[in-house]
Amino acid sequence: MREITIPPTAGLPLQWADLLPWGADDFAVQMAVWLGVQSVQLECSGTLALMVALRSLKRLRPERSEVIAPAYTCPLVALAIAQCGLQLRLCDLRADALDMDADCLRLLCSDKTLAVLPTHLCGRAADVDAALQCARVVGAYVIEDAAQALGARSNGKSVGLKGDVGFFSLAVGKGLSTFEGGVLITRDAVLRDVLSAAGAETPFNLWWELRRSVELLGYAALYRPAGLRMAYGKPLEQALSRGNWVEAAGDDFDDFIPQHRLGAWRQAVGSKALRRLSAFQQQTAEQAKARVAQLRACGLDVLDDIAADSQGVWPVILLRLPSQQVRDAVLQAHWGDGSGLSLPFVHVLPDYGCYEHVLGAARHDDVSRARDWAQRLLAISNSPWLDDARFARVLANIQAATQG
């Protein structure tokens, strides 16, 4: 009998009771309490949350036009920056950590810099303090990209609060999901008002809300062992059969970014699912701790939180393999077999080709260390559905590739 297909990340499965239109708390209030903040602002996606943040900051500093982001990040970041009429600059990464290099960042920061985007990639907590130090010298803002890090904490508080603005994604596979959704937070009262005013300009769009609601129903039905082969496994196999790793990784975005309100029913679904999120994240954290120990005992380089006194979340376990050849050999052998292996992103932004039109001068930024990271990273799903026996086989396959 064919084994179940493991999702690429540890998303929180929905329960059928979540879909009922009654019994929900106010989602925004509940999320604020869960995060330990005064209030949150809900948007229809993490991408729109970033755009609302950028538009708000641009109103406060209209003379500034550049946004600095890590060279290895989601292509949607580049698309969002371009749609806000701003110019992207790409910061290379540290050789020893999946985080922006401080020396490179200092050189990029100028009186043109509107914002710097430290990124809590794959749930690992980034060094926001270093980004703050560079940004403050030139009077720039800091937006924490915590799209993949809902629930991560730094110094006992939610990530997203050290910078001026933070945002989270509620997309599929990001832990809690309303199929698409975004959450904005800030500790600054003035910024909170500006963000609220900018968000209020987003219209309600019935067609998009109906579409997302149907997609959320599909997620509830298929994000479970019996449905994942059809929803994820078959499309992945087809993309890999065409040799299209960008499509397989879900990095193939077009320029259109939907902009509408997050509807009441999807908020109700999120509210009820949120009640289970802490327990689910505790379960995945304990699983990750045990498996990270196993991986390190085999001599593998497992990525941990970059910032001290931080506790990230664990949708995946990230490895840096010895070379691109080893990483690619593992993926070619096992990416399509349902074992839960994947890539965070396939390339650094300049290497996709299809996003050159939104990169501008950033095409020429030196991103050599980030490129090395992109070529050697491998993600192992931390889904509870990847049981110990199958994880042991995944580990053996990786060991065989590294030793071969």
Side-chain angles (χ1 to χ4, degrees), residues 313-337:
V313 290
W314 293 92
V316 298
I317 299 171
L318 283 179
L319 303 181
R320 180 156 71 159
L321 295 181
S323 68
Q324 180 180 6
Q325 290 73 24
V326 169
R327 195 281 308 272
D328 289 357
V330 173
L331 280 176
Q332 287 164 355
H334 303 292
W335 194 357
D337 67 6

Side-chain angles (χ1 to χ4, degrees), residues 171-230:
V172 173
K174 298 272 186 4
L176 179 69
S177 179
T178 53
F179 196 85
E180 285 285 359
V183 180
L184 272 168
I185 60 173
T186 181
R187 51 189 165 73
D188 185 282
V190 173
L191 277 176
R192 192 176 300 118
D193 290 342
V194 177
L195 290 168
S196 179
E201 296 172 1
T202 304
F204 181 80
N205 186 304
L206 180 59
W207 188 90
W208 268 105
E209 189 56 31
L210 288 173
R211 172 173 169 170
R212 292 297 189 228
S213 296
V214 171
E215 289 169 332
L216 182 57
L217 287 170
Y219 174 72
L222 298 176
Y223 194 82
R224 54 192 69 246
L228 275 164
R229 172 155 172 76
M230 179 172 66

Side-chain angles (χ1 to χ4, degrees), residues 153-383:
R153 302 186 73 78
S154 180
N155 294 320
K157 297 181 179 180
S158 172
V159 297
L161 291 171
K162 282 189 175 181
D164 299 289
V165 181
F167 72 94
F168 306 94
S169 172
L170 304 179
V172 173
K174 298 272 186 4
L176 179 69
S177 179
T178 53
F179 196 85
E180 285 285 359
V183 180
L184 272 168
I185 60 173
T186 181
R187 51 189 165 73
D188 185 282
V190 173
L191 277 176
R192 192 176 300 118
D193 290 342
V194 177
L195 290 168
S196 179
E201 296 172 1
T202 304
F204 181 80
N205 186 304
L206 180 59
W207 188 90
W208 268 105
E209 189 56 31
L210 288 173
R211 172 173 169 170
R212 292 297 189 228
S213 296
V214 171
E215 289 169 332
L216 182 57
L217 287 170
Y219 174 72
L222 298 176
Y223 194 82
R224 54 192 69 246
L228 275 164
R229 172 155 172 76
M230 179 172 66
Y232 171 68
K234 288 294 290 183
L236 173 65
E237 291 173 12
Q238 291 166 3
L240 292 175
S241 71
R242 295 189 290 269
N244 191 335
W245 281 24
V246 172
E247 182 184 355
D251 290 356
D252 51 336
F253 304 103
D254 58 35
D255 287 5
F256 178 71
I257 298 173
Q259 300 180 48
H260 57 96
R261 302 278 182 91
L262 181 64
W265 177 70
R266 288 196 294 139
Q267 290 188 42
V269 173
S271 170
K272 284 180 274 189
L274 181 57
R275 299 168 188 167
R276 304 191 306 278
L277 184 60
S278 292
F280 179 76
Q281 290 188 333
Q282 180 62 35
Q283 176 189 5
T284 55
E286 291 172 357
Q287 176 173 277
K289 181 179 179 180
R291 292 180 175 179
V292 166
Q294 288 181 261
L295 291 160
R296 286 180 173 154
C298 296
L300 294 167
D301 182 8
V302 185
L303 276 63
D304 208 335
D305 298 315
I306 299 159
D309 301 319
S310 296
Q311 300 82 41
V313 290
W314 293 92
V316 298
I317 299 171
L318 283 179
L319 303 181
R320 180 156 71 159
L321 295 181
S323 68
Q324 180 180 6
Q325 290 73 24
V326 169
R327 195 281 308 272
D328 289 357
V330 173
L331 280 176
Q332 287 164 355
H334 303 292
W335 194 357
D337 67 6
S339 298
L341 300 182
S342 65
L343 296 176
F345 309 110
V346 177
H347 301 301
V348 291
L349 289 176
D351 291 354
Y352 282 96
C354 56
Y355 301 117
E356 284 191 358
H357 63 293
V358 297
L359 295 183
R363 297 194 309 273
H364 308 298
D365 290 331
D366 181 8
V367 297
S368 54
R369 287 193 299 274
R371 182 173 290 110
D372 180 69
W373 277 101
Q375 292 169 347
R376 295 166 57 191
L377 277 176
L378 178 71
I380 304 175
S381 175
N382 194 38
S383 169

Side-chain angles (χ1 to χ4, degrees), residues 69-114:
Y72 186 65
T73 193
C74 180
L76 283 170
V77 170
L79 293 170
I81 291 168
Q83 292 218 7
C84 290
L86 298 164
Q87 286 77 55
L88 173 66
R89 297 303 306 273
L90 296 177
C91 187
D92 206 1
L93 302 186
R94 290 166 48 176
D96 63 337
L98 192 63
D99 202 2
M100 289 189 289
D101 178 79
D103 291 334
C104 179
L105 183 55
R106 275 190 288 270
L107 291 174
L108 288 170
C109 285
S110 72
D111 58 4
K112 296 180 181 179
T113 306
L114 175 66

